[in-house]
Amino acid sequence: MLLLASFFDSLPVTLGMRSEAGAWNPDAVVNRLQLVLALGGIALLGWHLWLSHGGQQARFRKTRDVALAVLGLLGAWAYPNFGRAHFTNFIHAWDVYHYYVGAKYFPELGYEWLYDCTAVADYDAGLTRLTLARHHTDLRTNVVVPSSLAVENGDVCRARFTPERWREFVSDVTFFRNRTGYAKWVWVQKDHGYNASPVWTLAGHALADTGPATPLSVTLLCWVDPLLLLLAAASLWWAFGWRTAAVAALVFGVNIPARYTWTGGAFLRHDWFFALALSVALLKKSRPALAGAAVAYATLLRLFPGLLLAGPFLLLLARRRRAGTWDRELLRFGLGGIVATVLLVGASLGLPGGVDNWVTFARNTQKHAATPLTNHMGLRTVLSYRPSTIGAALADGKQADPWAAWKQARLDGFAAARPVFYALLLLALWLLYRAVAPEGTEAWLAAALGTGFICFGAELTSYYYCFLSVFAVAVAKRREVALLLLVACVAWCFIDWAPFGWMSTWEDEKKVAMSVVALLVVALGWFGFTRAGARWALLPEPGGGRLG
């Protein structure tokens, strides 16, 4: 008994959830619980498969459904760290500062003045010595520079505001500085600024510019995202039924690259996800024009959701080749997207700056895309990797920008691999075409599978990988999709945990490994829908692969 008690006492230490001194690591606890949930989902799918082959599926349907519902709910609860949010607070002050202040003061700051004017505001608030001693990112070049340069030219910032507006700006900056603490505030100023599109700014500015930043006002704004996530789940339930929605919720909640730490408790960071989920749901409900409008909105918010269109476009070509005429459903889908784009872009021109906002946004996006980040994921991230240029070898904490040499090495690595990148993109498109080409493929399925192309075509910060929950709705046709995604979630948990000595604990290497897993899972998912892949289906008979 003493040995058994000793084993259970030492288990949290063995699993990395608690230090030898007895302090709990909340991130590690959540990781292990997410791992258990992902393994539970795999076990449930395996049991369902065994029942199906044994002819006992109907007998245990209720038990299976209860287990699936519990896993879906626990998955949804796992996303906000099982109700603990950021463990010490709900608001993600680092992220909200960028999007609240960036949107509220967009007429004065645009895309290039956030950190400069924040330094001047800190100086005017009385932090003279501290501000002059720190550095921040110059958002015109993405190079880290001394904040004293902005302070010396402080009148340039002040002139962009009216006196009343400047006082409110200083007050709002003080609010977020106090929320983060000055030590972290120094690092906040080395991030990459406000990067939302003019279309996002329409809603962001309207919501933020309603008064000064206060604990109540900012908290209320941060509750918009949980509402959007609930609406996304409701739209999937409406279109596909609760079982598919439960699988999507489970994948969402145990998805380590997109975990709550990154954008949970933030301001309007999941609007694109809601629009993406809604678009696939609308296609399933035979409302293609509205679905096209939803995709257009998601794309104008974050750009990368537009890569979903690869699936419907390739389906359009396949149907044209088969029937000799252009498919009306997909043409209506495209028309809805065009109309929504014209209306939304037109509305965004009403912001101060008009067309120039889009020009600056394009320049800012290009600059941002040319700045590697340690939490980037995608095909480009994998091809840019070299064992000799990892963060462990190149990061230098003595420099103003510790990662400058690493960033340049990543850019050089991708430049050398560029031909391979384009060749693999074409190969991915060919495989996606083979997946959507079989007769009877529905438009919603092509769109859901098209989301997987985002892994190949875009290099994104990892938190955007929650889009794979939209890819997961393909489980409505084949359960293998859920199995693959949950296996990916298990792998991501282990990569993040790094329990073995040969595994890296550096963020840049973890994200490369996670990217490889995502690319393989998407490619295998596509293969499962090809004619060749159908022969390897777990239940090859018609309709047998569904989770219904």
Side-chain angles (χ1 to χ4, degrees), residues 300-383:
L300 291 170
L301 291 172
R302 290 292 163 192
L303 299 185
F304 71 85
L307 293 173
L308 166 150
L309 296 173
F313 177 73
L314 292 173
L315 177 61
L316 179 67
L317 295 181
R319 288 181 176 178
R320 165 73 181 180
R321 180 183 178 188
R322 194 161 40 243
T325 58
W326 296 108
D327 184 78
R328 294 183 64 183
E329 179 188 23
L330 291 170
L331 290 178
R332 289 172 61 198
F333 175 72
L335 180 61
I338 292 170
V339 171
T341 299
V342 171
L343 293 175
L344 290 167
V345 171
S348 73
L349 297 181
L351 289 168
V355 175
D356 287 343
N357 291 334
W358 283 100
V359 175
T360 309
F361 173 69
R363 184 170 65 244
N364 185 65
T365 300
Q366 185 177 19
K367 174 200 66 181
H368 195 55
T371 305
L373 301 175
T374 57
N375 63 338
H376 267 159
M377 287 181 62
L379 177 60
R380 175 171 172 166
T381 301
V382 174
L383 295 178

Side-chain angles (χ1 to χ4, degrees), residues 228-229 231-233 235 270-279 294 297:
L228 289 172
L229 292 177
L231 290 173
S235 68
H270 288 99
D271 47 358
W272 68 270
F273 178 79
F274 166 62
L276 198 68
L278 181 63
S279 68
Y297 184 51

Side-chain angles (χ1 to χ4, degrees), residues 228 231-233 235-236 239-240 252 270-284 290-310 312 333 444 447-454 460 464-473:
L228 289 172
L231 290 173
S235 68
L236 296 182
F240 298 97
F252 188 93
H270 288 99
D271 47 358
W272 68 270
F273 178 79
F274 166 62
L276 198 68
L278 181 63
S279 68
V280 178
L282 287 168
L283 276 175
K284 181 68 168 63
L290 290 175
V295 170
Y297 184 51
T299 302
L300 291 170
L301 291 172
R302 290 292 163 192
L303 299 185
F304 71 85
L307 293 173
L308 166 150
L309 296 173
F333 175 72
W444 71 264
L449 296 178
T451 60
F453 187 63
I454 296 171
L460 303 173
Y464 289 120
Y465 267 62
C466 58
F467 71 79
L468 287 174
S469 290
V470 180
F471 187 85
V473 302

Side-chain angles (χ1 to χ4, degrees), residues 90-92 96-97 99-101 104-105 168 171-173 175-176 179 204-226 265-268:
F90 167 62
I91 298 173
H92 190 338
V96 179
Y97 154 74
Y99 282 86
Y100 177 94
V101 175
K104 181 175 180 177
Y105 297 100
E168 188 171 355
S171 175
D172 287 349
V173 166
F175 171 85
F176 285 103
R179 295 283 303 196
H205 179 72
L207 290 171
D209 196 23
T210 54
T214 66
L216 177 60
S217 66
V218 173
T219 299
L220 288 175
L221 289 176
C222 291
W223 273 103
V224 174
D225 270 32
F267 171 44
L268 212 60

Side-chain angles (χ1 to χ4, degrees), residues 13-35:
V13 176
T14 304
L15 295 177
M17 297 189 298
R18 195 170 65 187
S19 68
E20 294 287 352
W24 286 93
N25 179 348
D27 283 330
V29 173
V30 171
N31 173 294
R32 308 310 177 263
L33 291 174
Q34 289 172 315
L35 175 60

Side-chain angles (χ1 to χ4, degrees), residues 12 18 23 37 42 50 85 95 173 192 217 262 348 420 440 449 489 491 523 532:
R18 195 170 65 187
L37 287 176
I42 292 172
W50 179 74
D95 195 85
V173 166
H192 291 84
S217 66
W262 293 109
S348 73
V420 178
L449 296 178
C489 290

Side-chain angles (χ1 to χ4, degrees), residues 411-447:
L411 292 173
D412 294 342
F414 179 69
R418 195 182 299 273
V420 178
F421 174 73
Y422 289 118
L424 289 176
L425 276 188
L426 291 174
L427 181 61
L429 286 172
W430 173 81
L431 183 57
L432 178 56
Y433 176 80
R434 302 294 297 178
V436 303
E439 189 171 359
T441 300
E442 298 171 76
W444 71 264
L445 180 60

